[in-house]
Amino acid sequence: MARMYARRRGTSSSVRPYRKEAPEWSNTDVTEIEKIIVDLRKDGMSASQIGLALRDRYAVPDVKLATGKRINEILHEKGLESEIPEDLRNLMQKALRLRKHLAENRKDVHNTRQLQIAESKVRRLVKYYVGSGRLPEGWTYKPETAEILLSR
C-alpha cells in the first residue's frame, strides 16, 4: 500500500516473532509489572516510553503477553490515562513546532505543506477519537489553544 501523502510505497520492516505466551526468561509477575507501570507513569513517562523502559530495564519484552492487558488499559484502570491520546499529542506538538518555525521563516513553502499535512492528520485523529468516545463530543483542534492543551 502506498503512503497517504507521498507518491511512494513504504519499505518492509522487521516483525516481532509470533508468540502466544511470554518467554521463560522474562519477568511475568503481573502485580510487579503493574506497579512499575504506575510508578513510571507518575514519573511523567508516556505509554510508549514505559514500554521501552520495561523492555530495556525490567526484562518484559511484551506487556500484553505477560499481563494479558496493554499498557494503556492498565493506566486506564488505575485512573492515570492522559486526557489527550499520545499519538494525537505528538502530532499536535509537531504542528506547533512547524507553526513556530514558519513564524520566523515565512517563505518556507515546503514546511508550509508539512504543516497542512500534520494538521489534517490531527483533524482526522480527532474525528476518530470523538467517534470512539475517547475525546468529548464537540472537541475540535484549534492551533491557538493547542499550546495551552499540551502544557497540561
Side-chain angles (χ1 to χ4, degrees):
M1 178 183 264
R3 295 193 181 273
M4 188 176 295
Y5 294 107
R7 303 272 188 260
R8 64 187 195 280
R9 292 187 174 89
T11 58
S12 62
S13 58
S14 63
V15 178
R16 284 189 308 191
Y18 178 72
R19 290 183 180 267
K20 289 188 176 182
E21 62 214 23
E24 312 84 47
W25 53 264
S26 68
N27 181 4
T28 55
D29 184 17
V30 177
T31 56
E32 182 184 347
I33 292 173
E34 288 185 0
K35 181 181 175 298
I36 292 169
I37 289 173
V38 169
D39 291 342
L40 291 175
R41 178 63 184 172
K42 287 181 179 175
D43 289 343
M45 288 184 151
S46 66
S48 60
Q49 291 171 330
I50 291 171
L52 292 176
L54 285 170
R55 182 195 68 191
D56 296 340
R57 283 190 256 156
Y58 299 100
V60 182
D62 193 347
V63 174
K64 187 165 183 185
L65 287 179
T67 64
K69 296 180 268 188
R70 294 175 182 250
I71 295 174
N72 278 331
E73 291 173 1
I74 294 170
L75 292 175
H76 181 70
E77 288 174 0
K78 306 289 184 183
L80 296 171
E81 194 175 32
S82 62
E83 58 185 45
I84 299 175
E86 185 179 0
D87 53 353
L88 180 60
R89 177 180 290 277
N90 291 339
L91 276 173
M92 289 170 67
Q93 286 174 342
K94 180 177 184 175
L96 269 176
R97 284 194 310 267
L98 283 169
R99 281 196 176 276
K100 286 179 183 174
H101 170 78
L102 289 172
E104 298 168 3
N105 305 285
R106 297 221 177 261
K107 293 188 176 185
D108 191 351
V109 293
H110 299 290
N111 281 327
T112 303
R113 171 76 176 140
Q114 290 306 309
L115 176 64
Q116 291 172 349
I117 289 171
E119 288 187 338
S120 66
K121 288 178 183 178
V122 167
R123 284 190 292 274
R124 184 178 298 127
L125 263 181
V126 165
K127 185 177 175 183
Y128 167 74
Y129 282 128
V130 166
S132 65
R134 182 83 194 274
L135 288 175
E137 196 67 36
W139 198 96
T140 56
Y141 167 75
K142 297 181 195 104
E144 303 82 31
T145 60
E147 192 166 7
I148 297 167
L149 279 173
L150 294 176
S151 64
R152 292 185 199 169

